[in-house]
Amino acid sequence: MKRALIIAAATLGFTANVSASPLPDFPFINVTGEARLEVAPDKAKIQFVIRQTAAKADAATDAVYKQGHDLMQFLAKHGVTDTDVDAAQINKEAMYKDYQDRTITGYEASQPISVTLNQLTHYVAIMDYLFKQPQVFSIQGSFDSSQREQVERKLSEQAGADARQRANHLAGAQGVKLSTVFAITEGTGFGQLAGDFGFGGGAVSYGMLRKSVEMADAGPSLVLPRHITLHKTVNVIYKITP
């Protein structure tokens, strides 16, 4: 883990006529504090859809059942349990000759599936398996950290401290003093005020990529992120006094 640069934006606001404004009706300073931290991911979620077509509805549905059964057997060999798999209800749609001729020519059965990996040891092998299955579509993988809650709690504190520091600097530059906190939010804004100043929420981004250990000696392969960036934003409105 390494601490990334903390940045913030601050604005000084005085309001007079606020009969139709969402802004506070007293002198205030609005600041946005941010904190980021790069962490190595240790878990992932894979989402995809099994989709089968056949001339008859039962054949399409049975094909989805079979592929799902084969998938569960494969996942079990890679340490994935039933509780790590979340499958939605199977959906069936009729296929027609064309938009004008509504003669049914076959059926399509599909089932969205989500797989949670509590460790990344077999991520590449599972993704490689899914990519090579002819009737698996819309494959997406996302990464996360099992320490997210603890890290984000610390980031919230750092972002709050950053916001106060920015507010103190801005107030001092204008010859005023900070008073009490009027409002504070984490990762969201204050109605129209948020739109005016472009408040942003927490985000996850991906860093440099690397090959997985299990594929290190192979040819071209899937890659895992070296890190993900956890981000917290704190928006604060301080009352100010001369």
Side-chain angles (χ1 to χ4, degrees):
M1 299 185 181
K2 63 179 183 178
R3 175 87 178 272
L5 178 64
I6 296 178
I7 60 173
T11 58
L12 175 65
F14 294 89
T15 63
N17 183 2
V18 294
S19 58
S21 172
L23 300 180
D25 59 355
F26 50 78
F28 69 93
I29 286 179
N30 165 235
V31 291
T32 300
E34 291 186 312
R36 301 173 184 270
L37 194 68
E38 295 177 355
V39 301
D42 58 9
K43 60 188 300 185
K45 176 173 286 187
I46 302 174
Q47 296 173 298
F48 54 93
V49 178
I50 295 176
R51 186 179 299 120
Q52 295 280 355
T53 59
K56 294 184 178 181
D58 58 349
T61 303
D62 287 343
V64 170
Y65 289 152
K66 182 181 184 306
Q67 188 159 12
H69 179 266
D70 293 343
L71 172 67
M72 291 301 296
Q73 287 187 322
F74 174 82
L75 292 175
K77 294 178 180 178
H78 289 77
V80 179
T81 65
D82 291 350
T83 58
D84 297 325
V85 180
D86 185 16
Q89 181 175 311
I90 292 179
N91 182 57
K92 184 194 73 175
E93 299 287 347
M95 298 187 298
Y96 303 96
K97 186 174 182 179
D98 55 46
Y99 288 106
Q100 294 182 335
D101 188 342
R102 305 304 286 173
T103 301
I104 295 178
T105 59
Y107 295 87
E108 177 185 276
S110 60
Q111 184 175 37
I113 295 177
S114 175
V115 178
T116 298
L117 301 180
N118 295 310
Q119 56 182 355
L120 299 180
T121 306
H122 301 296
Y123 174 85
V124 171
I126 292 173
M127 288 292 278
D128 186 64
Y129 171 86
L130 294 173
F131 281 130
K132 292 178 179 179
Q133 298 303 302
Q135 301 302 322
V136 174
F137 302 92
S138 304
I139 305 169
Q140 299 180 25
S142 59
F143 299 91
D144 205 349
S145 169
S146 59
Q147 302 300 310
R148 172 182 285 274
E149 184 176 350
Q150 297 92 317
V151 171
E152 288 190 338
R153 187 182 301 115
K154 183 178 296 184
L155 289 178
S156 292
E157 296 174 357
Q158 293 173 352
D162 184 53
R164 175 169 285 276
Q165 182 181 38
R166 293 287 176 164
N168 278 318
H169 289 170
L170 185 59
Q174 300 300 320
V176 296
K177 297 180 180 179
L178 293 185
S179 181
T180 58
V181 173
F182 171 72
I184 182 169
T185 63
E186 185 179 69
T188 56
F190 306 102
Q192 183 60 43
L193 189 65
D196 291 342
F197 294 103
F199 294 157
V204 176
S205 59
Y206 298 99
M208 297 178 62
L209 299 177
R210 58 183 171 80
K211 287 186 177 181
S212 66
V213 175
E214 61 191 277
M215 301 290 283
D217 297 328
S221 66
L222 296 172
V223 289
L224 297 173
R226 188 181 302 276
H227 67 264
I228 58 177
T229 303
L230 302 184
H231 172 222
K232 275 294 182 179
T233 300
V234 174
N235 310 304
V236 187
I237 294 178
Y238 293 95
K239 292 182 179 180
I240 57 175
T241 59

